[in-house]
Amino acid sequence: MIFLVVLGHIGFKDYGLQIQKVIYSFHMPVFVFLSGFLSPRKIDCKRQKIWLLQNLLIYAGTQAAYILLTCCDCDFSWDMLIVPAPALWYFVSLIFWRLFLWYSFKGISDVVLLLAALLLALACGFIPLDREFSFQRTFAFLPFFITGVIFRKRKLMLWLNKLPLWVAILVLLAGLMVAHALPWNYQPKFHYVCLGDMFIRLIQTFLAFALCLSVVRLIHPMGISFAKKNSALQILPFLGRYTLWVYIGHLFLNLLNAYVVILIQRIIPEFSLDILSAVILAVLYCAICTVVGMICKKLFRKVAPNRY
């Protein structure tokens, strides 16, 4: 999923919007679902404050660095203070989702909570806010977060695992073909222009639910059991520890995309950014960010060994 995030942010306008349609139809819903699945529903106040402070510091530091770098090429705008940098919207949304989980709708049944999240996802498009404070994405993806929370609480993974693999594969392939054929791209960050946009969001939400659950079914437990039997795949959970580094790091590496393409074109004049070269570039970016994360982690252990 983190690789698809990087790939989706690398010059998608150059190698075709159709590829972006396929990627965006499921990769962020899966991410949000997993974030809900891994979010404790009950947590002590001290741990909540520590988690909140850590994420706010990471977001503020990264946002400030991005503003400083982009101001070198363009004039400063006050919108930069309320509009998260590309990809950083997830920090803002995750903070809201967890606060929503911890302090809202206490004592309400899971079904009502999920319906409330779905209604908020549909209704938020009428409010004339787009990327400001990550408003549209926060509410549009809220049902996936709540679903992940419910799946953990109710142990619904056991139910999902009873779904035959061939059904999950069929749903995934059919859903991707539908996403590819739809006339609109999955972009929950825009507010509605007309009433019909609400029905578009509803269709995209249900399609994303089908794709999300089919992907999770294929990964768990098949992927886990397969990885245990194949030692070469043990690298995957190891690399998974550095997804935050990839998530933040590729934001800054993407600023170099245009320069990278120009440099390659000087060596290979006929070069153009297509899907194959984008995949290679995404792998390179993921590798760079992972290595930087590994180095920094070792340095942190030397500076503050008691924290590890």
Side-chain angles (χ1 to χ4, degrees):
M1 294 302 110
I2 193 65
F3 171 78
L4 291 179
V5 169
V6 179
L7 179 63
H9 289 160
I10 294 180
F12 56 81
K13 294 179 181 178
D14 298 320
Y15 59 75
L17 191 61
Q18 298 300 320
I19 299 296
Q20 187 199 23
K21 273 188 182 181
V22 174
I23 294 174
Y24 279 42
S25 65
F26 71 94
H27 80 309
M28 289 316 300
V30 172
F31 250 124
V32 178
F33 173 87
L34 294 176
S35 294
F37 188 80
L38 297 174
S39 294
R41 188 154 190 173
K42 294 182 179 179
I43 189 172
D44 61 87
C45 186
K46 183 178 179 181
R47 290 183 63 188
Q48 289 177 2
K49 291 180 179 179
I50 292 175
W51 179 88
L52 182 62
L53 180 61
Q54 289 176 338
N55 281 269
L56 285 174
L57 288 175
I58 293 174
Y59 169 75
T62 309
Q63 179 79 355
Y66 186 84
I67 291 175
L68 289 174
L69 288 174
T70 53
C71 282
C72 296
D73 297 327
C74 60
D75 295 331
F76 173 79
S77 171
W78 289 106
D79 290 343
M80 294 180 176
L81 299 179
I82 61 174
V83 176
L88 291 186
W89 67 268
Y90 198 76
F91 278 100
V92 179
S93 296
L94 183 60
I95 290 172
F96 171 82
W97 293 329
R98 287 201 170 184
L99 292 177
F100 179 87
L101 175 66
W102 292 334
Y103 298 108
S104 301
F105 297 97
K106 289 186 177 180
I108 294 180
S109 68
D110 294 336
V111 174
V112 174
L113 184 61
L114 182 58
L115 287 176
L118 182 60
L119 289 175
L120 287 172
L122 296 177
C124 72
F126 292 107
I127 299 176
L129 290 174
D130 292 329
R131 295 179 58 204
E132 295 86 354
F133 306 106
S134 185
F135 185 85
Q136 293 296 326
R137 281 168 166 162
T138 295
F139 286 98
F141 285 124
L142 179 60
F144 300 98
F145 182 84
I146 297 300
T147 302
V149 173
I150 295 173
F151 259 67
R152 177 176 179 172
K153 177 185 176 183
R154 299 294 181 182
K155 299 181 179 179
L156 293 180
M157 282 295 187
L158 299 175
W159 166 81
L160 185 63
N161 291 337
K162 295 179 181 179
L163 184 71
L165 282 176
W166 67 268
V167 175
I169 295 173
L170 186 63
V171 171
L172 178 61
L173 294 177
L176 292 178
M177 287 190 290
V178 171
H180 185 273
L182 287 176
W184 355 274
N185 186 27
Y186 191 95
Q187 288 284 9
K189 65 182 178 181
F190 300 115
H191 67 85
Y192 303 150
V193 177
C194 61
L195 186 62
D197 290 343
M198 183 180 69
F199 296 100
I200 292 176
R201 176 168 290 182
L202 181 63
I203 293 171
Q204 290 177 325
T205 300
F206 280 113
L207 176 61
F209 262 116
L211 289 169
C212 174
L213 295 179
S214 62
V215 169
V216 174
R217 170 63 183 97
L218 293 174
I219 294 174
H220 179 85
M222 183 186 71
I224 297 174
S225 60
F226 186 70
K228 289 181 178 179
K229 297 176 182 178
N230 297 268
S231 57
L233 290 180
Q234 293 299 317
I235 188 67
L236 294 179
F238 171 77
L239 294 176
R241 302 172 188 172
Y242 300 96
T243 51
L244 180 61
W245 291 89
V246 176
Y247 189 76
I248 294 177
H250 89 280
L251 171 67
F252 297 99
L253 291 175
N254 277 344
L255 296 175
L256 304 175
N257 279 345
Y259 302 103
V260 171
V261 172
I262 293 174
L263 180 61
I264 296 176
Q265 286 177 340
R266 288 183 178 179
I267 303 173
I268 309 174
E270 63 274 12
F271 173 82
S272 62
L273 188 62
D274 54 15
I275 183 60
L276 178 60
S277 57
V279 167
I280 296 173
L281 197 59
V283 171
L284 179 62
Y285 284 0
C286 289
I288 292 173
C289 296
T290 301
V291 171
V292 171
M294 293 170 62
I295 294 173
C296 290
K297 192 172 183 179
K298 289 183 178 180
L299 292 176
F300 292 157
R301 282 177 175 171
K302 291 182 179 179
V303 174
N306 293 332
R307 295 296 302 275
Y308 292 89

